[in-house]
Amino acid sequence: MADADAATGAPGRSAAEYGLPDDEIVAEVPVFLTQKLERQLHLLQYPQRVGVLRPGELLPRAARIKPVHGQIELDIPLDVHSPMYNKARGVELGEGIADDGRLLDTTTLVSVDIPKSSEYLAAVVRDGEVHLTAIDRVTQLRPSLKYLDRIAEKKAASRKADNSDDEAAEKKEVKAQTVQVTVRSAQAEEALRQQQNSIAYMQQRLEEEPWADLAYFDVGTDESAAVCAGLVAGSRDDLVCTMGPDEYLSAVIGSTEPDVL
């Protein structure tokens, strides 16, 4: 990876050899790329939280994931004994999670994918070496308000039950209808394909995928430490670049040619 001087942290080549201003180089740090946890790292953002999250601060009561789509839900307990908690309102909203007069004692955070504007890497510094692992997904955890939808559904069902007698009287007899079987044209098949690829269709597929329980281990646990060990490269093989400088920059940031008006 690096020469003996770099391995010991001693200055090696001058800045001029790198095409940099003539500043003193105080150390060269070996950088390793590891793929042990490739496509397994998710960066979770908490836009409603200010500052750094401390261990145990957001310990969820339950966690779930949809493996195919990668959506995550965390049930975070609420402090119902806090003087800031409105218990009367908590009982009203609790109807959206249970029918037994339970307080709304959890807030559910659901992940929303954020388009990546660049590549993100997780870095670990170990024994003077930097180990990098690519992050697969970037998501934000936002509050889910599904309990409000359930309350609205209950109210709608109650109104429907009250008006069921009137609705039954107004119903008309259903007449037999002839079912016509047709063969779709090429244009119809293309329209159907576009519909299936629409946002509505993808959302339906997401909602239909069942949840799977997800084990959550906070920072400082043995399980967390075991996974973090995978962020350190196990081999010391040199990377061989097959691209020239211009080709590499084009692959990373796009064309290096100046825009011509």
Side-chain angles (χ1 to χ4, degrees):
M1 289 292 298
D3 56 24
D5 289 339
T8 59
R13 290 159 287 185
S14 66
E17 294 182 67
Y18 292 101
L20 300 174
D22 192 16
D23 292 333
E24 180 185 3
I25 296 178
V26 297
E28 294 182 4
V29 180
V31 177
F32 297 91
L33 299 178
T34 177
Q35 297 179 323
K36 293 180 182 179
L37 299 179
E38 185 181 18
R39 302 186 65 81
Q40 297 184 47
L41 293 186
H42 290 210
L43 175 61
L44 303 182
Q45 300 175 341
Y46 298 81
Q48 291 189 321
R49 293 282 175 168
V50 179
V52 179
L53 292 176
R54 297 181 298 273
E57 184 176 353
L58 283 180
L59 191 62
R61 182 174 295 168
R64 299 171 293 277
I65 187 172
K66 293 190 175 184
V68 176
H69 292 86
Q71 190 175 56
I72 297 172
E73 279 191 352
L74 303 179
D75 292 338
I76 308 298
L78 295 175
D79 183 6
V80 298
H81 301 292
S82 169
M84 304 299 295
Y85 184 84
N86 187 333
K87 291 190 175 181
R89 184 59 174 160
V91 171
E92 295 177 6
L93 298 178
E95 295 182 3
I97 58 176
D99 296 323
D100 54 3
R102 170 183 168 186
L103 287 173
L104 181 68
D105 57 355
T106 60
T107 179
T108 299
L109 302 180
V110 60
S111 65
V112 178
D113 281 347
I114 303 299
K116 290 195 297 183
S117 58
S118 61
E119 293 296 326
Y120 292 87
L121 299 169
V124 173
V125 179
R126 183 74 58 84
D127 298 329
E129 301 172 344
V130 176
H131 301 258
L132 303 176
T133 303
I135 292 177
D136 184 48
R137 305 177 80 112
V138 179
T139 60
Q140 286 187 354
L141 287 171
R142 304 174 183 174
S144 171
L145 303 179
K146 288 183 179 180
Y147 57 88
L148 295 180
D149 295 334
R150 296 190 187 102
I151 293 175
E153 291 171 359
K154 287 183 178 181
K155 291 181 178 179
S158 178
R159 288 194 297 268
K160 184 176 180 180
D162 293 339
N163 299 329
S164 59
D165 293 339
D166 296 337
E167 292 177 358
E170 295 175 358
K171 284 184 179 178
K172 298 180 180 179
E173 295 183 358
V174 179
K175 298 181 179 179
Q177 297 180 354
T178 302
V179 178
Q180 183 179 3
V181 179
T182 58
V183 178
R184 295 192 186 96
S185 64
Q187 292 83 357
E189 289 288 352
E190 175 63 18
L192 178 61
R193 188 188 66 81
Q194 293 180 358
Q195 179 184 4
Q196 290 178 337
N197 290 333
S198 66
I199 296 177
Y201 177 75
M202 297 302 294
Q203 181 65 27
Q204 180 182 356
R205 291 288 302 275
L206 172 62
E207 294 176 355
E208 290 175 350
E209 183 184 356
W211 290 102
D213 291 337
L214 185 66
Y216 182 95
F217 300 102
D218 205 3
V219 176
T221 60
D222 293 339
E223 292 83 359
S224 175
V227 173
C228 288
L231 297 174
V232 179
S235 63
R236 298 293 190 270
D237 298 331
D238 290 339
L239 294 178
V240 179
C241 183
T242 59
M243 298 181 180
D246 291 341
E247 187 180 3
Y248 174 78
L249 288 176
S250 296
V252 174
I253 63 176
S255 176
T256 57
E257 296 294 330
D259 294 334
V260 178
L261 297 178

